Amino acid sequence: MQLDFLGDLRRTHMCGELRAEHIGQKVILLGWVNRRRDLGNLVFIDVRDRNGMTQLVFDKGENPAAHEKASALRSEYVIAAIGHVRKRDLDTVNPNIATGDVEVRVDELKLLNESKLPPFLPGDTDIANEEMRLKYRYLDLRRDKMQANIELRHKVALAIRQSLSERGFLEIETPFMTRSTPEGARDYLVPSRVHPGEFYALPQSPQIFKQILMISGFDKYFQIVRCFRDEDLRADRQPEFTQIDLEMSFPQPDRVFEVVEAFLQAAFKAAGHELTAPFPRMTYDEAMRQYGIDKPDMRLPAMTDIRKAFTDEDLTELRIDASMNMVAVRIPKVGKISDREKKEIRALSDELAQRNKEFAGVLYDFAQLEKKRPQAATKIRELCAADSEDLIVPVVAIAAAESKARTAANQHAQFTAAGEARLELARKYADRHGAFTRTGEVGNDFKLLWVTDFPMFEYDEKENHWNPAHHPFTSPHERDMDKLESDPGSVRALAYDVVLNGTELGSGSIRIHRQDIQEKIFRALGMSIPEMKERFGFFLEALEYGTPPHGGIALGLDRIVMILAGADSLREVIPFPKTAKAVDLMVDAPTPVSDVQLKELGIKIK
Ligand code: ASP
């Protein structure tokens, strides 16, 4: 069919804008053919743009030329419609769309472009084949849900920018082509042609630059910034992702919390949700003891220590010694548990044993316990403040024979087993009443909290040395400074996480601002002086020029938008994501490059 040019046509309205008040007006709409219904002498076209949809009518009797043109339209053709708004007949009013009271009788139709038959249509709701969606991402992004998600992303980012800007933060860009930043993942490298054999690294975070900006006196920095981490493949992980990154001078952790709480409130508001601040706070130690995890899901009760419920004789008979951790997991309002479910719960014990090399959990059948040790069972109910409908599962953590977990450094491991049981049970039994979902879309029950005082170091058994639990610029607690060499495992860091419904949204810390302490930490991490100078010499030097106390945090924007969109994958809120195998199916990346390019870069592929 002959195509028309846009010429100087300008739309008067978006496709979702027309209402009864526009009846009689001349309008110009531009958009895509969403659907065509051909009734012979009458053709109806739904024209669509980002804003919505309007019904166009072509009447052969009134305008044979436009009618003929309309008959040839197909899905996803791009058109311009010039016509008049009129009231729909009562029997064609469509209450499901915003423009459902009116339609446009078209005087002139222009065909701006044709479309091949798309592999799926924007109106298709469930497209099982995600690879197809990603390959034809431009079509996928035409779908309502994706349009809404991307718009939400914009609104959320804008609200965050506004909130931070109002509080005196400046958005400052930092380089993508830089050198390795220590966030613990592998770097993506960019070879230099001008310096053969040398490479830039894409930033895993702007960490060093934002700290330098504090040294430079910018006082409050933020950036909504892409970060790159070459980590092992996992279902919902993106090699490039977006962080809300910030840093401020002279802060206590509380100051950072206030800033984050304010922008999260603004972000949630942009998505129509109210958040109450300040968020509760909990130390890492408390989180581990009460929830068995450092990112507790607060929609469910904490675990309860139940040792008190047993007499010494009970404990001896049950062969529970003082080193074992005894807690009860309570899932509210589960109701009756079938025999099959009881078996499932028992099987969880084996699963936990397989997963944990340090501690396994033994899960007890509470009904059995009620029969055999009624006093203990009553006591447990009391301790847990349990309702008769609640599911109670006592869990005892038992150390693996070869486990070194009884050392002070990883004593928390024994809570992990119980914590995993708690989550597993919650997923199975709380979820069946819609009380608990990972993304929190049920009831929009958003439970946020701060977890503070993380351990400074983690021991790497394989490599036999200490690693920073956050990153090596994190400041130890002032009170733990003297234990850096003697007992690194017990040193607490001024590091914090913000957690939502069991998911970590972001991590940050107060930094080391003194060169002597920074060197001490590098040494505690087993870095030699030449290595230190080679990797971070410039930074250690910068620290010597009047560095103010400073600290900050970074939160994952993708994850926040995902939760607010009620989506179950990051790919639903990133316009052009990569697959779990780090492939972009639309542009087909990565790809091999030409020999010429390799030669220029001085690179040989083995
Ligand atoms: N750079 C850290 C990260 O990406 C965040 C921070 O410490 O501010 O996790």
Side-chain angles (χ1 to χ4, degrees), residues 408-426:
N410 45 13
Q411 55 163 320
H412 288 122
Q414 61 174 313
F415 294 99
T416 316
E420 283 185 20
R422 173 178 174 270
L423 281 183
E424 232 23 271
L425 291 166

Side-chain angles (χ1 to χ4, degrees), residues 183 204-205 207 210 229 243 245-247 470-471 507-509 511 552-554:
E183 297 288 350
Q204 292 182 36
S205 85
Q207 187 61 35
K210 68 173 172 176
R229 293 184 194 175
Q243 297 217 91
D245 190 51
L246 68 88
E247 194 75 8
H470 187 45
H471 51 56
S507 288
S509 62
R511 324 298 182 189
I553 191 164

